[in-house]
Amino acid sequence: MAFADYTSRGAVAVITLDNPPVNALGLKLRRELAAGLERAAADTAIGAVVITAGGQTFCGGADVSEFGAPEMHAAPNLADLIALVENFPKPVVAALNGTTLGGGLELAMACHHRVAAAGAQLGLPEVKLGLLPGAGGTQRLPRLVGPERALNMILSGTPVAARELKDTALLDRVVESDVAAAALEYAQRTLGSRAPGDAAPLKKARDIEIRFPNAEAFFDFARGAIAPLAKNYPAPAKCIDAVEAAVLKPFAEGIKLERAAFVELLMSPESKALRHAFFAVRAASKIPDVPADTPLRAIKSVAVIGAGTMGGGIAMNFANAGLPVTVLETSQAALDKGLGVVKGNYESTLKKGRLTPQQFEQRTGLIKGTLSYDDIAQADLIIEAVFEDLNVKRQVFEMLDAKAKKGAILASNTSTLDLNKIANFTTRPADVIGLHFFSPANVTKLLEIVRGAASAKEVVATSLGLAKQIKKIGVVAGVCDGFIGNRMLNAFFRQMELLLDVGALPQQIDRALEKFGFAMGPFRVSDLAGNDIAWYIRKRLYVEYPDRVFSKIPDRICELKRFGQKTGAGWYDYKPGDRNAIPSDLVTKIVLEESARLGLERRKVSDEEIVERALYSLINEGARILEEGIALRASDIDVVYIAGYGFPDFRGGPLFYADTVGLPNILRTMRGFARGYQPDAWEPAPLLQKLADENRGFASLGNRS
Ligand code: NAD
């Protein structure tokens, strides 16, 4: 199969990129494109070249799977190809449709002319992988669209529609019609204006002179704006340096600086982590025994049972994706309250201008309420989000079994209960699956797809597709207490609370973990989610795991009804209407009292110890989850933590981070903890022990797909 198809239309050679799905610039495509250009150069009947794309996308950019592999450097590499195009003796016109990203846009900018479809999306997203555009993008884009616009595009990584760039030198023509035909016509016209044997120089982005009198103030401002994140994300500062070089230095010097910065970033731990996270998300949607061609069930309508904290948010996801949703409650009052919250959420988005009035009408119009199961009997997907109580779940699933149409997917949003038991409340356990959303359900990216023992493959495959449709990241988990995310979280919280007994305070723990990069420390998170939820779970754990020792401090906080922000007090104090967490003297007093009651002499706990205990408790439990097959791969656990728990993406997730620390080092530290207070949690997971003994990391387990 040709990766770059060559044809000619009169005096114009047309090279069509054909490397589905996104025409990534892998080695084979680069070779064929270069061969096509050489053929066009040699053919005296050819006066110009059009590079266009089959399919929906001009080019998604470099083939990221080549990063760090020998193919990336094999000739022609992207820089060679770009030089070939730019120095081509005949005009080269790029026809941009769909999306043109990264290396694809860099290639297009090396062409002498560009014609784009008005809706085409053009962008340089490298910063999202901790990189900068490394094939001339930082030098050519400022020359073509001006330094301000260029820096915006490079720093945000967000694509811009061609129609918004039509007044710039980036685009010679922007068309509403067929872009390949328009580019061909443009190439023919360019030819007509060049006399045969014309030696007039071709238009090259590198030759454009930038005049930018405000350079100093502008770049100072940009550096100030990114400063707060610069420690954890080194790429934006390098992007600024490179664009500044484009303005202040000759092209060749700028290119040199860009290259050096690219190589440095490519080796940086942050970029490695971000690239790991990127591939991890892709891998998560592949399930070894659920092939890509597994039939899917059509989901055209959805029902949600329960209009509480989760039910309302879950309903919004589907309305946002254009699907009608019916929400069922037990009383009109509960229904009105729940739907009122949903409407209020949409109203506030509308007020912020992030929703048009039409979208507001459309989305609110798609959500209806009912008290009758008859109204949801025809739904293709029904998601239960009622109280976390097995008896209540039983009533609901027995009703669903009686009422739901054949083939409907019956899902539970349970956080902790046994999905297999829930499935067996019905006579159709193959249709039952866990769809575990995270609060706030309309915002948090993660969707844990809990696969029961009997869940049908097509139900799993449909759920993964649905996750994409509602713009979530789906990760498949097996059935156990807390699945992937909350099971690890329970181990982590227990450690953090035990640290209070021995010497730390909540605000110190939060600060240490926020410094590590967590979006929010555990005690602030708990105040946000409601301390009563964890209390409820702990009470169950006390019964189920009678030998496990927990700190008593969280219960004492809850006994005072300090449930967090919703009650105006929790681990922290809050002023009315203000979410700012203020360290609480009362909580400090309780913590000190509890240490005294236990006869513990409080010691200084370092931030380093806090981070180690937090991370190693996650890693140890993660290793067990992996070994038990609850998670399919180490990288799935990383995705769960980044997408659902505010784990810093620049650390790549808990198990990626474990490999960077080194498993033998982690075990050594854990052995130290096991000699201290409440050592039971530090029994190493057998998999962790085995990998450490063999001096391997989690990555060595491979990416099963
Ligand atoms: P909630 O108490 O806010 O809401 C539950 C709703 O279900 C209430 O409005 C109640 O009236 C309704 N309800 C109860 N019995 C019903 C029945 N038989 N039929 C119809 N409606 C009924 O609870 P929540 O926080 O939304 O949690 C719901 C589920 O989601 C639980 O299984 C919980 O474990 C899970 N979950 C919660 C969170 C969270 O952060 N709150 C996160 C993930 C999953």
Side-chain angles (χ1 to χ4, degrees):
M1 192 189 70
F3 288 84
D5 179 62
Y6 184 100
T7 54
S8 54
R9 298 268 191 286
V12 178
V14 177
I15 303 177
T16 307
L17 309 182
D18 188 11
N19 185 20
V22 298
N23 289 328
L25 292 164
L27 180 58
K28 285 183 181 150
L29 186 144
R30 297 199 304 268
R31 281 200 177 133
E32 289 193 17
L33 179 53
L37 286 165
E38 273 149 23
R39 183 169 158 191
D43 188 342
T44 50
I46 293 295
V49 177
V50 168
I51 303 178
T52 179
Q56 299 297 314
T57 289
F58 176 73
C59 177
D63 184 345
V64 268
S65 66
E66 284 187 356
F67 279 2
E71 286 86 359
M72 184 179 173
H73 306 289
N77 64 26
L78 187 53
D80 298 336
L81 194 62
I82 280 175
L84 181 66
V85 170
E86 189 169 60
N87 299 323
F88 202 70
K90 305 170 186 181
V92 182
V93 182
L96 311 179
N97 65 327
T99 42
T100 299
L101 299 177
L105 184 57
E106 291 179 298
L107 177 70
M109 289 193 288
C111 295
H112 309 112
H113 304 275
R114 286 152 299 272
V115 176
Q121 296 285 317
L122 315 177
L124 292 172
E126 287 82 350
V127 74
K128 294 184 178 169
L129 297 181
L131 298 169
L132 50 55
T138 65
Q139 303 305 300
R140 290 190 182 88
L141 193 63
R143 288 174 163 81
L144 290 166
V145 303
E148 282 159 296
R149 226 164 182 173
L151 190 62
N152 262 335
M153 285 176 70
I154 292 169
L155 280 183
S156 71
T158 310
V160 177
R163 66 170 65 83
E164 287 170 37
L165 295 163
K166 72 167 182 247
D167 58 341
T168 69
L170 180 63
L171 301 176
D172 299 83
R173 274 187 73 190
V174 175
V175 296
E176 299 287 346
S177 53
D178 176 358
V179 72
L184 183 62
E185 189 234 347
Y186 190 89
Q188 281 157 346
R189 216 147 38 91
T190 314
L191 270 181
S193 64
R194 280 169 71 85
D198 192 346
L202 288 162
K203 262 173 66 178
K204 292 182 187 173
R206 66 191 298 151
D207 297 333
I208 298 174
E209 243 180 74
I210 302 182
R211 279 190 209 92
F212 192 44
N214 299 329
E216 201 179 324
F218 172 73
F219 289 110
D220 280 354
F221 174 79
R223 289 197 170 93
I226 60 126
L229 291 179
K231 189 174 143 274
N232 297 329
Y233 297 92
K238 299 272 182 211
C239 293
I240 298 175
D241 292 348
V243 173
E244 187 181 49
V247 173
L248 301 179
K249 295 182 189 230
F251 184 83
E253 272 183 50
I255 285 283
K256 237 185 180 162
L257 186 142
E258 178 195 88
R259 177 104 303 253
F262 181 81
V263 171
E264 198 182 321
L265 289 172
L266 195 63
M267 304 308 290
S268 70
E270 293 82 3
S271 175
K272 285 182 183 159
L274 291 168
R275 280 180 279 144
H276 164 76
F278 175 85
F279 286 117
V281 168
R282 291 179 162 196
S285 64
K286 300 189 182 96
I287 310 304
D289 67 331
V290 182
D293 58 357
T294 305
L296 300 178
R297 295 194 187 170
I299 306 294
K300 299 224 160 62
S301 61
V302 180
V304 177
I305 318 242
T309 312
M310 296 304 290
I314 293 171
M316 289 175 75
N317 282 299
F318 294 98
N320 295 349
L323 289 168
V325 193
T326 307
V327 181
L328 183 144
E329 259 292 350
T330 46
S331 72
Q332 192 61 44
L335 190 58
D336 290 345
K337 186 172 165 221
L339 294 184
V341 173
V342 169
K343 187 144 186 247
N345 273 336
Y346 278 127
E347 274 164 356
S348 92
T349 319
L350 176 72
K351 270 198 207 111
K352 287 180 199 146
R354 284 198 259 122
L355 213 56
T356 64
Q358 292 89 315
Q359 284 171 319
F360 173 83
E361 290 302 327
Q362 196 223 358
R363 293 181 192 192
T364 49
L366 281 168
I367 302 179
K368 304 235 173 337
T370 184
L371 301 176
S372 163
Y373 275 83
D374 293 334
D375 291 337
I376 63 165
Q378 293 308 312
D380 298 315
L381 165 70
I382 305 176
I383 305 176
E384 161 280 310
V386 302
F387 301 135
E388 187 76 340
D389 179 315
L390 203 59
N391 277 322
V392 185
K393 306 277 189 204
R394 175 196 283 270
Q395 285 165 22
V396 169
F397 275 84
E398 284 175 354
M399 257 328 244
L400 290 179
D401 197 24
K403 295 279 186 178
K405 72 172 183 188
K406 192 169 165 283
I409 294 180
L410 310 179
S412 172
N413 185 47
T414 180
S415 323
T416 50
L417 299 173
D418 183 339
L419 187 87
N420 293 327
K421 280 190 188 153
I422 295 178
N424 287 326
F425 294 149
T426 73
T427 55
R428 34 173 140 170
D431 294 339
V432 178
I433 195 155
L435 291 181
H436 186 207
F437 290 79
F438 290 76
S439 182
N442 54 320
V443 177
T444 309
K445 280 275 172 217
L446 178 64
L447 179 65
E448 256 182 344
I449 298 172
V450 184
R451 184 177 184 179
S455 304
K457 288 181 184 181
E458 56 187 81
V459 172
V460 176
T462 305
S463 300
L464 279 161
L466 265 175
K468 278 199 185 123
Q469 199 183 340
I470 59 172
K471 300 200 169 72
K472 300 266 181 215
I473 299 173
V475 178
V476 173
V479 176
C480 69
D481 189 345
F483 316 124
I484 298 175
N486 284 348
R487 175 167 158 187
M488 286 166 67
L489 195 74
N490 288 343
F492 158 82
F493 261 95
R494 183 172 163 238
Q495 279 309 315
M496 296 301 94
E497 290 157 2
L498 288 171
L499 264 182
L500 301 176
D501 289 356
V502 298
L505 288 172
Q507 50 272 26
Q508 185 203 354
I509 293 177
D510 281 352
R511 233 186 299 115
L513 290 173
E514 285 160 16
K515 220 164 71 192
F516 174 81
F518 274 94
M520 241 192 226
F523 296 100
R524 289 217 290 141
V525 167
S526 200
D527 270 2
L528 185 66
N531 297 323
D532 48 329
I533 294 182
W535 194 21
Y536 184 79
I537 294 170
R538 271 197 315 279
K539 283 182 196 163
R540 185 175 56 78
L541 296 177
Y542 296 157
V543 177
E544 289 176 14
Y545 305 92
D547 298 338
R548 205 179 276 178
V549 178
F550 290 82
S551 169
K552 297 270 184 301
I553 296 169
D555 293 358
R556 288 202 53 194
I557 303 289
C558 287
E559 281 154 13
L560 296 173
K561 300 230 165 4
R562 294 180 66 102
F563 293 154
Q565 290 187 14
K566 64 184 172 190
T567 56
W571 289 103
Y572 294 90
D573 293 336
Y574 297 89
K575 292 198 177 123
D578 190 349
R579 287 162 179 263
N580 191 29
I582 306 163
S584 160
D585 291 341
L586 179 59
V587 171
T588 303
K589 186 168 156 273
I590 292 172
V591 170
L592 300 184
E593 275 173 14
E594 192 52 27
S595 304
R597 191 188 68 79
L598 291 165
L600 294 169
E601 193 175 325
R602 288 179 67 78
R603 64 177 173 84
K604 190 178 172 340
V605 178
S606 70
D607 286 2
E608 189 189 359
E609 180 180 345
I610 292 170
V611 169
E612 285 172 346
R613 283 184 186 265
L615 270 292
Y616 300 173
S617 60
L618 286 173
I619 291 163
N620 201 29
E621 197 63 33
R624 288 185 205 282
I625 284 173
L626 195 55
E627 192 162 27
E628 291 168 23
I630 297 297
L632 281 170
R633 20 178 126 68
S635 64
D636 282 3
I637 293 177
D638 291 335
V639 174
V640 165
Y641 263 75
I642 294 174
Y645 292 84
F647 193 97
D649 54 1
F650 63 87
R651 305 260 191 202
L655 297 193
F656 180 86
Y657 176 76
D659 283 0
T660 66
V661 176
L663 305 193
N665 296 331
I666 292 176
L667 270 190
R668 200 172 314 118
T669 308
M670 281 172 52
R671 274 198 290 274
F673 294 155
R675 287 192 287 274
Y677 181 59
Q678 301 304 348
D680 65 288
W682 299 111
E683 176 68 31
L687 177 65
L688 182 60
Q689 181 76 59
K690 177 173 178 286
L691 290 174
D693 289 346
E694 294 168 5
N695 215 356
R696 294 164 59 192
F698 288 106
S700 73
L701 297 171
N703 218 343
R704 277 181 289 160
S705 62

